[in-house]
Amino acid sequence: MGLAVLTALGIWVAQGAIGLLPAQAIANPPAEIRGVWLTNVDSQVLFSEQGVRDSLQQLATNRFNTVYPAVWSWGYTLYPSQVAERATGYKQGLYPDLENQGRNEALEAAQGDRDLLLNLVQTAKDLGLTVIPWFEFGFMAPANSPLALRHPDWLTQKQGALPAARLEQEGRHPRVWLNPFHPEVQQFMLDLVAELMANYEVDGLQLDDHFSLPVAYGYDLYTINLYRQEHRGQAPPANPYDAEWTRWRADKITALVDRVFWTVKARRPSAVLSVSPNPATFAYTHHLQDWPRWREKGYIEELVVQIYRDNLASFRNALRDRALQQARRHIPTGIGILSGLKDRPVPMALIQQQVQTARGMGFAGVSFFFYDTLWTVAAGETSSDRTQAMQRLFVTPRQRPNVAHSPRPAPASS
């Protein structure tokens, strides 16, 4: 696609990014994404109004400007949802039971229909923080979730015999994948998006690496029949990495992203569609997620690519990726940085180096996975060291990059 067309899809311009003298740069500091993901897994910051207030205040004090709270995780919404209730029998599942892959029924009963997202949005707005809810699980669900058990026809599979062909082990948890090619699955996702946009004053929606499908999947009866209909009766190739079979499935997911984009815009025109995928080659080859094409078609208005690396050399090399470099010239493109996992904090020195590298290579900002680990000390650090380093990470306030909302891509024909 030519540069003129890409420009029409919406070039972003960070204030002061080019052509400024030093004095002007001081008066007009460059815009920057300063984000963090909030999750209900290995974290309790979303479990009480006080926890939400304290965490958002801490982020605002440290000059962050964006939060990405999970709103779809473990097969449940994290806010009261009529769409989810129709599909699963439950309005929400804010408090997960990680061992049994379900809801913590005792906490859910004690808290009632507490609306986490309403509380979070109101608090964030008061603090000047942008809120872009995040579909953390995408098409993935726990194998024994009500969603999976009530809708087995919504699930896709690998080659082989059931039930094993449906399962994918993630750590100690067996997962299943909703079929992104099935019309009822698509409508469920679109209804969730429409409900979210209609009911909450959010600033956007973020899809991540789970709004995809592992390449081994797609051998369920529905998808096989759909493929046969479009290939004169021919069955899908046995090789899941077959180029045409990969392209066919990836294009179907791209067509769904078109519908997601327009569902967002129909309810909340100023909301941005943000995407947080893995690097492009891995995302396409292994998860059928062709986000460079999504970007070319104008669906992505903010990109935050997950570059989770444990050393600076591999981090810097990943930032040189051609698709990533192309994206940063046309839309606000930030870098997802791993600040730690449960019991595995990342040294603050490495976090600082990665932030500085992303800035130095011209990216539009960063987001950290995940909130709690920003403050969890690594070996050789003290709590005071970590806190002071966080305060130095973003020295002065910054606005987020502006996104041009028009003209927009034409809706795909149905």
Side-chain angles (χ1 to χ4, degrees), residues 16 20-30 398:
L20 287 180
L21 297 174
Q24 292 174 298
I26 294 172
N28 299 291
R398 292 285 187 274

Side-chain angles (χ1 to χ4, degrees), residues 51-89:
V52 169
R53 282 196 298 271
D54 290 348
S55 59
L56 296 187
Q57 181 62 67
Q58 188 173 29
L59 291 171
T61 299
N62 283 275
R63 294 171 286 277
F64 282 77
N65 57 28
T66 308
V67 290
Y68 302 99
V71 293
W72 169 245
S73 179
W74 286 83
Y76 302 94
T77 56
L78 275 65
Y79 61 91
S81 165
Q82 293 182 356
V83 174
E85 187 174 23
R86 289 196 300 268
T88 70

Side-chain angles (χ1 to χ4, degrees), residues 304-322:
V304 185
V305 179
Q306 300 173 40
I307 309 293
Y308 298 164
R309 301 293 186 271
D310 61 5
N311 67 84
L312 190 59
S314 61
F315 179 84
R316 183 180 289 112
N317 186 59
L319 265 57
R320 298 189 181 104
D321 177 73
R322 183 168 178 265

Side-chain angles (χ1 to χ4, degrees), residues 40-118:
N40 67 338
V41 179
D42 297 330
S43 172
Q44 297 186 12
V45 299
L46 302 178
F47 290 177
S48 68
E49 290 189 11
Q50 188 64 49
V52 169
R53 282 196 298 271
D54 290 348
S55 59
L56 296 187
Q57 181 62 67
Q58 188 173 29
L59 291 171
T61 299
N62 283 275
R63 294 171 286 277
F64 282 77
N65 57 28
T66 308
V67 290
Y68 302 99
V71 293
W72 169 245
S73 179
W74 286 83
Y76 302 94
T77 56
L78 275 65
Y79 61 91
S81 165
Q82 293 182 356
V83 174
E85 187 174 23
R86 289 196 300 268
T88 70
Y90 296 94
K91 286 185 179 180
Q92 64 177 335
L94 174 56
Y95 311 95
D97 178 353
L98 301 187
E99 293 305 318
N100 295 312
Q101 297 193 81
R103 302 179 346 140
N104 186 317
E105 298 289 351
L107 276 177
E108 294 286 353
Q111 296 289 344
D113 289 335
R114 170 181 168 244
D115 195 331
L116 152 74
L117 188 55
L118 182 62

